[in-house]
Amino acid sequence: MSIAEENDIDISKAVRNIRYEKELNLLQTELVNLQKWVAQNKMRVAVIFEGRDAAGKGGSIKRFKEHLNPRTSRVVALSKPTEVESGQWYFRRYIKELPNPGEIVFFDRSWYNRAVVEPVMGFCTQELYQKFIEQVSEFEHLLYEDNVKIIKFWFSISKDEQKRRFESRLENPLKRWKFSPVDMKGQELWDKYTHFKEQMFSKSHTNFCPWMIVKTNDKREARLESMRYVLSQFEYDGKGESGINLLPDPNIIVRYHRGAVQIDI
């Protein structure tokens, strides 16, 4: 490869990076405007990020939250339930984390742990799983009727890309903490995850609380398009003043339907 060719590649990469940073900054500006409007109108907004391990949920949430006022926005990432919580109604500990009036809450995983991770890993019984499946849409309908806006994202990653990201985490001492025993079984139990994911979609995708599937093999695209989708759901003051396109790319993010193309099947 010639020096000129190497320089061309470097320039191309630099241009892509600049374009990404510019779009990200403009979308974050729109998110700040959205947050102000949500706070002024005492709205309650919950954005749920679900998906396989290493799909990019945490990185996307970080960019969503980066420039928002911490007084009216927060991230919820609950750990393993305590013994007391395990004996309570499953949804109770999530109810306590729901947005207050004027607040946006980002869920880094949510009550849908019981729909996929728990049954795949054997962390819940079939009876508890079935009870969740029967109750979850009713639970969300109650929230919908109480004017809580819920946006549900499923971050879809291919098996090869997940493997590559796992290996990258293990090689990087600064990212090694992200790799858990559950992650180690992610590739081994891929088909089982797929089965329960599809069951979750079929049982909990509703008109009032639909699932949005985001292709995340390209992390940056996923971040930008999920931001666009959230912004497209509200008619907030100052919408579009940044000049950025607020229409999400249907090739990257799509409302779930049986024929929807997925990359983590």
Side-chain angles (χ1 to χ4, degrees):
M1 182 180 291
S2 68
I3 295 176
E5 289 175 325
E6 289 181 359
N7 288 338
D8 286 342
I9 292 174
D10 290 340
I11 292 172
S12 176
K13 183 177 180 180
V15 170
R16 288 198 302 272
N17 289 342
I18 291 171
R19 184 180 295 120
Y20 165 72
E21 292 296 339
K22 181 179 179 180
E23 285 199 50
L24 178 63
N25 183 261
L26 291 174
L27 288 169
Q28 288 175 329
T29 299
E30 293 283 337
L31 284 169
V32 169
N33 290 337
L34 171 63
Q35 183 187 31
K36 290 178 183 177
W37 182 77
V38 167
Q40 290 169 357
N41 290 277
K42 303 298 181 184
M43 296 187 67
R44 290 171 290 166
V45 180
V47 186
I48 291 174
F49 292 80
E50 291 288 346
R52 298 178 192 262
D53 296 310
K57 300 180 293 297
S60 290
I61 292 172
K62 179 181 177 181
R63 273 69 179 189
F64 266 90
K65 184 78 170 60
E66 194 169 11
H67 297 292
L68 297 184
N69 186 337
R71 294 180 179 177
T72 53
S73 65
R74 55 189 167 90
V75 177
V76 174
L78 298 184
S79 57
K80 180 180 177 181
T82 65
E83 185 176 348
V84 172
E85 288 173 330
S86 296
Q88 297 172 343
W89 182 43
Y90 178 72
F91 294 98
R92 179 173 173 178
R93 73 186 192 127
Y94 292 102
I95 289 173
K96 294 185 292 185
E97 303 294 343
L98 288 170
N100 297 309
E103 189 176 38
I104 302 176
V105 174
F106 302 97
F107 283 87
D108 188 350
R109 295 200 183 278
S110 66
W111 44 89
Y112 281 101
N113 270 338
R114 180 143 294 177
V116 181
V117 175
E118 290 189 17
V120 167
M121 302 303 297
F123 295 158
C124 73
T125 65
Q126 176 62 28
E127 180 183 1
L128 290 175
Y129 167 75
Q130 192 59 42
K131 184 178 290 186
F132 169 83
I133 290 298
E134 292 170 357
Q135 293 180 349
V136 63
S137 290
E138 293 184 35
F139 171 67
E140 290 176 352
H141 193 256
L142 288 173
L143 297 179
Y144 169 78
E145 289 186 326
D146 204 47
N147 296 319
V148 178
K149 174 68 173 178
I150 300 177
I151 294 173
K152 299 191 299 192
F153 286 129
W154 176 267
F155 274 29
S156 180
I157 184 175
S158 69
K159 189 174 184 179
D160 288 344
E161 179 61 17
Q162 185 192 56
K163 181 181 179 182
R164 189 193 68 77
R165 292 183 188 178
F166 281 165
E167 291 172 349
S168 176
R169 288 180 178 181
L170 287 172
E171 292 169 1
N172 187 339
L174 296 178
K175 293 184 177 181
R176 204 168 292 154
W177 64 270
K178 292 184 176 182
F179 196 80
S180 70
V182 173
D183 293 338
M184 294 176 67
K185 293 189 176 181
Q187 292 268 298
E188 177 186 341
L189 300 173
W190 183 270
D191 292 341
K192 196 172 182 180
Y193 268 99
T194 298
H195 168 75
F196 281 101
K197 176 201 68 171
E198 290 301 320
Q199 288 296 306
M200 177 188 73
F201 286 156
S202 66
K203 303 296 185 181
S204 62
H205 175 75
T206 58
N207 287 332
F208 55 85
C209 202
W211 277 105
M212 300 304 300
I213 301 172
V214 187
K215 295 178 182 178
T216 64
N217 274 6
D218 185 322
K219 289 182 178 181
R220 291 183 168 186
E221 277 188 342
R223 292 165 188 167
L224 298 179
E225 298 309 320
S226 56
M227 284 182 179
R228 281 190 234 275
Y229 178 78
V230 169
L231 292 165
S232 73
Q233 297 302 293
F234 302 92
E235 293 302 321
Y236 54 92
D237 296 337
K239 183 174 182 177
E241 287 183 353
S242 69
I244 189 72
N245 174 27
L246 298 179
L247 296 176
D249 185 344
N251 294 308
I252 305 300
I253 181 168
V254 63
R255 184 185 176 107
Y256 169 77
H257 59 86
R258 291 186 185 278
V261 176
Q262 300 180 51
I263 58 175
D264 63 343
I265 56 174

